[in-house]
Protein backbone atom coordinates (compact mmCIF):
# COMPACT_ATOMS: atom_id res chain seq x y z
CA UNK A 1 0.00 0.00 0.00
CA UNK A 2 2.68 2.48 -1.09
CA UNK A 3 2.14 6.14 -1.87
CA UNK A 4 0.19 7.42 1.13
CA UNK A 5 2.85 9.98 2.00
CA UNK A 6 2.98 11.45 -1.52
CA UNK A 7 -0.82 11.46 -1.73
CA UNK A 8 -0.89 13.66 1.38
CA UNK A 9 2.06 15.89 0.43
CA UNK A 10 0.42 16.70 -2.93
CA UNK A 11 -2.57 17.98 -0.96
CA UNK A 12 -0.36 19.94 1.46
CA UNK A 13 -1.47 17.59 4.24
CA UNK A 14 0.69 15.84 6.85
CA UNK A 15 1.82 12.32 5.86
CA UNK A 16 -0.39 10.79 8.53
CA UNK A 17 -3.44 12.14 6.65
CA UNK A 18 -2.27 10.01 3.72
CA UNK A 19 -2.12 6.93 5.91
CA UNK A 20 -5.63 7.73 7.16
CA UNK A 21 -6.85 7.92 3.55
CA UNK A 22 -4.98 4.66 2.95
CA UNK A 23 -6.87 2.90 5.73
CA UNK A 24 -10.20 4.08 4.24
CA UNK A 25 -9.29 2.42 0.96
CA UNK A 26 -8.62 -1.03 2.44
CA UNK A 27 -12.18 -2.36 2.85
CA UNK A 28 -13.35 -1.36 -0.67
CA UNK A 29 -10.31 -2.86 -2.41
CA UNK A 30 -10.21 -6.05 -0.31
CA UNK A 31 -13.97 -6.53 -0.80
CA UNK A 32 -13.54 -6.09 -4.56
CA UNK A 33 -10.75 -8.70 -4.57
CA UNK A 34 -12.93 -11.19 -2.68
CA UNK A 35 -15.88 -10.51 -5.00
CA UNK A 36 -13.62 -11.53 -7.88
CA UNK A 37 -12.64 -14.86 -6.34
CA UNK A 38 -9.44 -14.04 -4.44
CA UNK A 39 -9.28 -16.19 -1.29
CA UNK A 40 -6.47 -14.59 0.74
CA UNK A 41 -5.27 -10.97 0.83
CA UNK A 42 -2.18 -9.94 2.79
CA UNK A 43 -1.76 -6.22 3.44
CA UNK A 44 1.67 -4.72 4.12
CA UNK A 45 0.67 -2.16 6.75
CA UNK A 46 3.86 -1.65 8.79
CA UNK A 47 7.28 -3.05 7.91
CA UNK A 48 10.19 -3.76 10.24
CA UNK A 49 11.94 -0.87 8.44
CA UNK A 50 9.04 1.58 8.93
CA UNK A 51 10.13 1.83 12.59
CA UNK A 52 13.04 3.93 11.34
CA UNK A 53 10.78 6.75 10.07
CA UNK A 54 10.40 10.05 11.93
CA UNK A 55 8.90 9.58 15.41
CA UNK A 56 5.84 11.66 14.51
CA UNK A 57 5.00 9.43 11.56
CA UNK A 58 5.63 6.18 13.47
CA UNK A 59 3.47 7.43 16.36
CA UNK A 60 0.80 8.47 13.86
CA UNK A 61 0.79 5.01 12.27
CA UNK A 62 0.60 3.29 15.66
CA UNK A 63 -2.26 5.58 16.67
CA UNK A 64 -4.07 4.74 13.45
CA UNK A 65 -3.70 1.04 14.25
CA UNK A 66 -4.95 1.76 17.79
CA UNK A 67 -8.04 3.66 16.60
CA UNK A 68 -8.88 2.17 13.22
CA UNK A 69 -7.97 -1.51 13.40
CA UNK A 70 -11.08 -2.54 15.32
CA UNK A 71 -13.66 -0.72 13.15
CA UNK A 72 -11.87 -1.75 9.97
CA UNK A 73 -11.62 -5.42 10.90
CA UNK A 74 -15.23 -5.45 12.18
CA UNK A 75 -16.29 -4.30 8.75
CA UNK A 76 -14.23 -7.03 7.06
CA UNK A 77 -15.48 -9.72 9.46
CA UNK A 78 -19.10 -8.57 8.95
CA UNK A 79 -18.55 -9.15 5.23
CA UNK A 80 -17.53 -12.75 5.91
CA UNK A 81 -13.75 -12.53 6.27
CA UNK A 82 -11.38 -13.85 8.91
CA UNK A 83 -8.66 -11.38 9.92
CA UNK A 84 -5.25 -12.32 11.30
CA UNK A 85 -1.94 -10.58 11.86
CA UNK A 86 1.56 -11.52 10.78
CA UNK A 87 4.81 -10.04 12.06
CA UNK A 88 6.35 -9.36 15.45
CA UNK A 89 3.61 -7.45 17.25
CA UNK A 90 5.55 -7.34 20.54
CA UNK A 91 7.08 -4.12 19.24
CA UNK A 92 3.78 -2.27 19.71
CA UNK A 93 2.60 -0.68 22.99
CA UNK A 94 0.66 -3.07 25.25
CA UNK A 95 -2.74 -1.53 24.56
CA UNK A 96 -2.22 -1.98 20.81
CA UNK A 97 -1.01 -5.57 21.29
CA UNK A 98 -4.17 -6.25 23.33
CA UNK A 99 -6.39 -4.87 20.57
CA UNK A 100 -4.67 -7.08 17.98
CA UNK A 101 -4.84 -10.21 20.17
CA UNK A 102 -8.51 -9.61 20.92
CA UNK A 103 -9.39 -9.18 17.25
CA UNK A 104 -7.45 -12.34 16.33
CA UNK A 105 -9.05 -14.35 19.15
CA UNK A 106 -12.55 -13.08 18.37
CA UNK A 107 -12.57 -14.29 14.80
CA UNK A 108 -10.04 -17.13 14.64
CA UNK A 109 -12.85 -19.72 14.81
CA UNK A 110 -14.50 -18.58 11.55
CA UNK A 111 -14.18 -21.38 9.01
CA UNK A 112 -14.25 -21.32 5.21
CA UNK A 113 -13.83 -17.56 5.22
CA UNK A 114 -11.85 -15.36 2.91
CA UNK A 115 -8.74 -14.42 4.81
CA UNK A 116 -7.19 -11.01 5.40
CA UNK A 117 -3.66 -11.06 6.85
CA UNK A 118 -2.41 -7.73 8.09
CA UNK A 119 1.38 -7.52 8.22
CA UNK A 120 2.51 -5.42 11.20
CA UNK A 121 6.16 -4.96 12.12
CA UNK A 122 6.68 -7.56 9.40
CA UNK A 123 9.86 -8.25 7.45
CA UNK A 124 10.43 -11.12 5.04
CA UNK A 125 14.04 -11.64 6.10
CA UNK A 126 13.01 -11.67 9.76
CA UNK A 127 10.24 -14.17 8.96
CA UNK A 128 12.69 -16.52 7.20
CA UNK A 129 15.24 -16.25 10.04
CA UNK A 130 12.51 -16.96 12.60
CA UNK A 131 11.24 -19.97 10.65
CA UNK A 132 14.79 -21.33 10.28
CA UNK A 133 15.39 -20.91 14.01
CA UNK A 134 12.14 -22.69 14.92
CA UNK A 135 12.81 -25.40 12.33
CA UNK A 136 16.28 -26.07 13.74
CA UNK A 137 14.82 -26.44 17.23
CA UNK A 138 12.61 -29.28 16.03
CA UNK A 139 15.09 -31.19 13.85
CA UNK A 140 16.80 -30.96 10.49
CA UNK A 141 16.25 -27.66 8.66
CA UNK A 142 14.36 -28.82 5.59
CA UNK A 143 12.27 -26.76 3.19
CA UNK A 144 9.09 -28.43 4.47
CA UNK A 145 9.96 -27.63 8.06
CA UNK A 146 10.80 -23.99 7.25
CA UNK A 147 7.45 -23.63 5.48
CA UNK A 148 5.68 -24.98 8.54
CA UNK A 149 7.05 -22.08 10.59
CA UNK A 150 6.37 -19.25 8.16
CA UNK A 151 3.51 -16.98 9.20
CA UNK A 152 1.69 -18.17 6.09
CA UNK A 153 2.00 -21.90 6.93
CA UNK A 154 -1.72 -22.58 6.54
CA UNK A 155 -2.25 -20.40 3.49
CA UNK A 156 -2.33 -21.41 -0.18
CA UNK A 157 0.77 -20.54 -2.28
CA UNK A 158 1.17 -16.84 -3.06
CA UNK A 159 -0.08 -16.10 -6.60
CA UNK A 160 0.49 -12.40 -7.00
CA UNK A 161 1.86 -9.26 -5.41
CA UNK A 162 0.52 -5.81 -6.29
CA UNK A 163 2.61 -2.80 -5.27
CA UNK A 164 1.09 0.63 -5.72
CA UNK A 165 2.97 3.95 -5.67
CA UNK A 166 5.32 3.44 -8.63
CA UNK A 167 8.36 1.79 -6.99
CA UNK A 168 9.41 -1.54 -8.46
CA UNK A 169 10.73 -3.56 -5.57
CA UNK A 170 9.47 -5.97 -2.92
CA UNK A 171 10.81 -4.05 0.11
CA UNK A 172 11.13 -7.16 2.30
CA UNK A 173 7.54 -8.33 1.69
CA UNK A 174 6.81 -12.09 1.63
CA UNK A 175 10.27 -12.82 0.22
CA UNK A 176 10.10 -16.60 0.62
CA UNK A 177 6.51 -16.85 -0.61
CA UNK A 178 7.21 -14.62 -3.63
CA UNK A 179 9.43 -17.23 -5.34
CA UNK A 180 6.92 -17.79 -8.17
CA UNK A 181 4.41 -15.03 -7.52
CA UNK A 182 3.39 -12.81 -10.43
CA UNK A 183 4.40 -9.22 -9.75
CA UNK A 184 2.34 -6.15 -10.62
CA UNK A 185 3.43 -2.55 -10.16
CA UNK A 186 1.02 0.35 -10.40
CA UNK A 187 1.91 4.05 -10.47
CA UNK A 188 -1.32 4.87 -8.65
CA UNK A 189 -0.85 6.07 -5.07
CA UNK A 190 -2.54 3.63 -2.65
CA UNK A 191 -5.39 5.96 -1.51
CA UNK A 192 -6.39 6.33 -5.20
CA UNK A 193 -6.11 2.63 -6.13
CA UNK A 194 -9.55 1.27 -6.95
CA UNK A 195 -11.70 -1.62 -8.06
CA UNK A 196 -11.31 -0.79 -11.77
CA UNK A 197 -7.56 -0.98 -11.63
CA UNK A 198 -7.68 -4.14 -9.54
CA UNK A 199 -9.96 -5.75 -12.13
CA UNK A 200 -7.49 -4.89 -14.90
CA UNK A 201 -4.64 -6.44 -12.93
CA UNK A 202 -6.62 -9.61 -12.18
CA UNK A 203 -7.49 -9.89 -15.90
CA UNK A 204 -3.81 -9.59 -16.79
CA UNK A 205 -2.94 -12.18 -14.14
CA UNK A 206 -5.44 -14.58 -15.73
CA UNK A 207 -3.59 -14.27 -19.05
CA UNK A 208 -0.07 -14.74 -17.70
CA UNK A 209 1.55 -18.08 -18.46
CA UNK A 210 2.79 -19.59 -15.22
CA UNK A 211 5.37 -22.30 -15.81
CA UNK A 212 6.95 -22.34 -12.35
CA UNK A 213 10.36 -22.79 -13.96
CA UNK A 214 9.28 -25.84 -15.95
C1 LIG B 1 3.56 3.31 2.40
O1 LIG B 1 3.37 4.63 1.94
C2 LIG B 1 2.59 2.98 3.42
C3 LIG B 1 2.91 2.74 4.72
C4 LIG B 1 4.29 2.78 5.21
C5 LIG B 1 1.88 2.47 5.74
C6 LIG B 1 0.65 1.80 5.27
C7 LIG B 1 -0.27 1.76 6.40
C8 LIG B 1 -1.59 1.93 6.36
C9 LIG B 1 -2.35 2.14 5.10
C10 LIG B 1 -2.38 1.98 7.63
C11 LIG B 1 -2.22 0.83 8.56
C12 LIG B 1 -3.27 0.87 9.57
C13 LIG B 1 -4.31 0.04 9.64
C14 LIG B 1 -5.35 0.28 10.66
C15 LIG B 1 -4.46 -1.15 8.76
P1 LIG B 1 4.54 5.70 2.12
O2 LIG B 1 4.34 6.36 3.43
O3 LIG B 1 5.87 5.04 1.95
O4 LIG B 1 4.22 6.68 0.94
P2 LIG B 1 5.29 7.49 0.07
O5 LIG B 1 6.14 6.47 -0.66
O6 LIG B 1 4.41 8.28 -0.85
O7 LIG B 1 6.08 8.36 1.01
Amino acid sequence: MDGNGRWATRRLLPRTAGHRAGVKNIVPVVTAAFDRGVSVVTLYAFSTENKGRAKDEVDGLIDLIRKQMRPMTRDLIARGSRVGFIGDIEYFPNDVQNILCEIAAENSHIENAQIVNIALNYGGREEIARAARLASESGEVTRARIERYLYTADMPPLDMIIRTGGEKRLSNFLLYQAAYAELFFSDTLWPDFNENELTGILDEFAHRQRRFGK
Side-chain angles (χ1 to χ4, degrees):
M1 300 185 287
D2 196 12
N4 297 340
R6 277 165 287 165
W7 184 94
T9 306
R10 282 178 198 173
R11 288 164 177 76
L12 307 178
L13 295 168
R15 293 177 59 83
T16 306
H19 295 313
R20 216 175 302 125
V23 174
K24 281 208 186 110
N25 202 28
I26 290 176
V27 174
V29 173
V30 170
T31 307
F34 288 155
D35 287 348
R36 280 163 182 71
V38 172
S39 58
V40 182
V41 174
T42 302
L43 300 162
Y44 203 9
F46 191 99
S47 74
T48 45
E49 286 74 22
N50 287 157
K51 288 178 291 198
R53 292 194 175 191
K55 187 174 182 312
D56 270 6
E57 185 172 352
V58 173
D59 288 348
L61 274 168
I62 294 176
D63 208 41
L64 211 48
I65 295 170
R66 178 181 285 116
K67 297 198 173 111
Q68 295 302 321
M69 194 60 87
R70 225 186 255 289
M72 188 190 86
T73 53
R74 277 219 180 106
D75 203 347
L76 290 167
I77 293 164
R79 289 162 196 257
S81 310
R82 190 174 84 217
V83 178
F85 303 99
I86 65 171
D88 180 8
I89 65 162
E90 284 184 13
Y91 158 76
F92 296 103
N94 282 338
D95 65 320
V96 172
Q97 286 186 46
N98 290 341
I99 291 171
L100 302 176
C101 291
E102 278 167 29
I103 294 169
E106 274 162 27
N107 80 116
S108 61
H109 64 280
I110 304 175
E111 279 177 42
N112 300 322
Q114 292 149 325
I115 296 169
V116 184
N117 296 313
I118 304 177
L120 293 172
N121 193 25
Y122 170 88
R125 292 188 287 209
E126 289 74 7
E127 178 186 30
I128 294 167
R130 172 183 175 272
R133 193 172 57 248
L134 294 169
S136 75
E137 285 168 7
S138 66
E140 194 191 342
V141 180
T142 59
R143 182 179 147 188
R145 206 171 267 132
I146 288 188
E147 288 172 5
R148 204 179 304 152
Y149 291 107
L150 292 174
Y151 293 122
T152 52
D154 302 323
M155 309 286 154
L158 180 64
D159 284 324
M160 64 192 298
I161 293 183
I162 305 174
R163 180 181 184 139
T164 59
E167 307 288 359
K168 294 182 177 57
R169 54 178 168 259
L170 291 180
S171 298
N172 209 9
F173 187 54
L174 299 178
L175 295 184
Y176 186 100
Q177 297 85 338
Y180 278 101
E182 298 294 322
L183 307 180
F184 294 85
F185 298 98
S186 158
D187 287 333
T188 305
L189 306 177
W190 168 253
D192 293 328
F193 188 78
N194 63 22
E195 189 172 341
N196 276 347
E197 200 173 345
L198 176 73
T199 302
I201 289 173
L202 291 173
D203 286 347
E204 190 189 329
F205 172 79
H207 288 100
R208 285 209 188 165
Q209 264 200 22
R210 303 187 75 199
R211 292 186 297 275
F212 298 94
K214 294 185 186 129

